[in-house]
């Protein structure tokens, strides 16, 4: 069974640019969550998508957005990049349907560096 | 917003020793508390999780202890090995209706040979 796949693995962008990251969840998983990981702040929740709808959102500015497609694949977009956006962006997928928590499985992440 | 407080920030243990990491949460509508293990360059991997209809769950050398009244849970690694050297994260569902996982800030464990 393939795991969570995130592309690209590494990305270098310039301040002011925008970036799109991709996540393919485990087959059969309909929930995709995105997290930002930095040394100082740890893992911070960005948002969760389920059945193409954003179900929950963390405390991040509107420059961070996402979407989910009918095949459950998800993308997140960051516009007007700032130096502080440099981080490891992680995607997690889970089977969970309603509000019942089930195991979340992470991809290897996309390392974004903003210069 | 749910906060999960994890301690210690770093931990050095001799091979064969016991590693103990603690977490405390504020409020949650759901009882599901996982621990994740992360090696450098990798994403976090689910290590062990507890749904507190029990106060303790053991899988091999890893044990979660849960104290619902104190809103605390801990990870114990028995007979710690150098291969256990990694960063460990605890998580708890937030207090909202969706129960998204909120993570502690992590504990960097180093097991010395």
């Amino acid at each position: 069974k393939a795991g969570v796949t995130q592309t690209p693995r590494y990305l270098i962008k310039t301040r002011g640019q925008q970036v799109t990251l991709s996540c393919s969840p485990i087959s059969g998983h309909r929930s995709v969550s995105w997290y930002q990981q930095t040394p100082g702040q740890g893992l911070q929740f960005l948002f969760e998508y389920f059945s193409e709808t954003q179900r929950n959102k963390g405390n991040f500015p509107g420059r961070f957005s996402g979407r989910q497609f009918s095949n459950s694949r998800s993308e997140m977009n960051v516009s007007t990049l700032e130096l502080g956006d440099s981080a490891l962006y992680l995607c997690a997928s889970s089977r969970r349907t309603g509000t019942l928590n089930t195991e979340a499985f992470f991809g290897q992440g996309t390392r974004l560096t903003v210069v | 917003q749910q906060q999960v407080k994890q301690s210690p920030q770093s931990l050095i243990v001799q091979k064969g020793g016991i590693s103990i990491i603690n977490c405390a949460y504020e409020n949650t509508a759901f009882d599901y508390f996982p621990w994740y293990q992360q090696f450098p360059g990798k994403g976090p991997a689910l290590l062990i999780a507890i749904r507190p209809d029990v106060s303790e769950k053991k899988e091999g050398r890893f044990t979660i202890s849960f104290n619902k009244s104190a809103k605390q849970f801990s990870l114990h690694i028995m007979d710690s090995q150098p291969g256990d050297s990694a960063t460990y994260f605890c998580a708890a569902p937030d207090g909202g209706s969706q129960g998204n996982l909120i993570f502690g800030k992590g504990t960097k464990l180093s097991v010395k040979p």
Side-chain angles (χ1 to χ4, degrees):
Chain A
K1 194 175 189 181
V4 179
T5 303
Q6 289 188 248
T7 57
R9 287 293 311 280
Y10 303 93
L11 209 48
I12 299 175
K13 288 287 188 178
T14 304
R15 266 186 307 174
Q17 287 187 310
Q18 74 165 16
V19 67
T20 299
L21 311 181
S22 180
C23 172
S24 293
I26 293 170
S27 178
H29 287 196
R30 296 167 63 190
S31 168
V32 174
S33 297
W34 288 89
Y35 290 84
Q36 182 194 64
Q37 185 175 26
T38 58
Q41 297 300 316
L43 280 154
Q44 292 189 287
F45 173 73
L46 280 155
F47 30 66
E48 183 208 4
Y49 284 86
F50 180 83
S51 291
E52 302 178 63
T53 301
Q54 186 182 92
R55 279 210 299 198
N56 204 356
K57 192 176 192 302
N59 294 325
F60 279 82
R63 300 186 296 108
F64 292 82
S65 63
R67 59 177 175 169
Q68 186 180 34
F69 302 94
S70 58
N71 62 357
S72 294
R73 189 177 71 84
S74 177
E75 288 181 348
M76 70 162 280
N77 184 276
V78 189
S79 62
T80 320
L81 284 165
E82 300 177 359
L83 294 178
D85 296 333
S86 295
L88 181 67
Y89 289 88
L90 291 158
C91 162
S93 79
S94 69
R95 280 188 293 111
R96 72 180 196 151
T97 54
T99 54
L100 175 66
N101 284 97
T102 60
E103 292 83 355
F105 297 88
F106 283 87
Q108 295 208 77
T110 293
R111 172 74 62 185
L112 172 65
T113 302
V114 182
V115 297
Chain B
Q1 174 97 24
Q2 167 83 283
Q3 285 198 53
V4 178
K5 295 182 179 179
Q6 184 173 345
S7 63
Q9 194 172 4
S10 63
L11 184 60
I12 299 175
V13 173
Q14 289 296 125
K15 179 181 174 182
I18 302 173
S19 304
I20 302 174
I21 305 170
N22 300 299
C23 279
Y25 63 96
E26 294 178 345
N27 296 294
T28 180
F30 303 97
D31 288 340
Y32 172 72
F33 301 92
W35 285 88
Y36 283 81
Q37 179 189 57
Q38 186 177 29
F39 293 103
K42 302 287 187 181
L46 179 64
L47 182 65
I48 185 172
I50 191 168
R51 296 184 189 275
D53 47 354
V54 295
S55 60
E56 185 175 283
K57 181 174 180 180
K58 184 175 181 179
E59 288 185 1
R61 298 184 292 109
F62 301 90
T63 301
I64 298 179
S65 298
F66 182 76
N67 185 332
K68 189 169 184 175
S69 61
K71 297 183 180 179
Q72 294 176 347
F73 57 110
S74 60
L75 175 69
H76 294 233
I77 306 175
M78 311 300 287
D79 186 26
S80 298
Q81 299 296 313
D84 297 331
S85 297
T87 300
Y88 293 81
F89 294 92
C90 62
D94 67 21
S97 61
Q98 300 303 328
N100 291 104
L101 291 177
I102 303 300
F103 286 81
K105 293 202 172 182
T107 296
K108 187 172 183 180
L109 171 66
S110 296
V111 181
K112 300 298 184 185

